[in-house]
Amino acid sequence: MPFINSKISKKITKEQETELKTLLGQAISTIPGKSESWLMVGFQDEYSLYFRGDNSEDIAFVEVSVFGGENKAAFDALTGKICDIYGQVLGIKADHIYVKYEATTNWGWNGGNF
């Protein structure tokens, strides 16, 4: 039950959105027990972001929420993949990307909780 939500300072095309969705779907398996079959993704482009007091370069803030406990090694590996993906697809430099992780033991779906 992972969810990846991205706030991106630049406009993204539908083609870029589809490519991001596909690559994130592959990357989520970096976290043991997670797969694209349960992944939900969201994109907010043209989001007003400033980094170091400046917005002259493209910026991304990516939130990864997962059901279960923390896995710091897997989260670290996924951060590398996310930075690579956003660099490859959108040209955003890794040092202009923040990735936030949240693990929870309470996750609802289909009228109930896991």
Side-chain angles (χ1 to χ4, degrees):
M1 283 55 61
F3 175 57
I4 300 176
N5 189 39
S6 303
K7 296 175 181 176
I8 304 162
S9 64
K10 68 188 291 178
K11 175 77 175 151
I12 61 174
T13 66
K14 283 295 178 190
E15 292 80 17
Q16 290 171 320
E17 186 175 298
T18 299
E19 187 174 3
L20 288 170
K21 181 239 1 139
T22 299
L23 293 171
L24 292 171
Q26 295 166 2
I28 197 64
S29 64
T30 303
I31 301 174
K34 306 303 177 197
S35 70
E36 184 178 23
S37 63
W38 285 97
L39 177 63
M40 182 181 285
V41 296
F43 301 101
Q44 294 175 285
D45 65 350
E46 297 184 298
Y47 196 86
S48 183
L49 291 169
Y50 289 80
F51 184 59
R52 298 180 182 136
D54 184 42
N55 69 347
S56 63
E57 294 187 52
D58 297 327
I59 305 166
F61 178 69
V62 182
E63 297 172 285
V64 180
S65 300
V66 295
F67 175 68
E70 292 186 7
N71 184 326
K72 291 185 183 209
F75 290 175
D76 187 55
L78 183 57
T79 296
K81 289 184 179 195
I82 287 171
C83 288
D84 289 345
I85 290 166
Y86 284 72
Q88 171 190 329
V89 177
L90 301 176
I92 300 175
K93 297 187 292 189
D95 70 348
H96 280 66
I97 301 170
Y98 272 172
V99 183
K100 174 188 169 194
Y101 291 90
E102 183 176 352
T104 182
T105 56
N106 297 294
W107 201 282
W109 172 72
N110 198 23
N113 287 346
F114 289 97

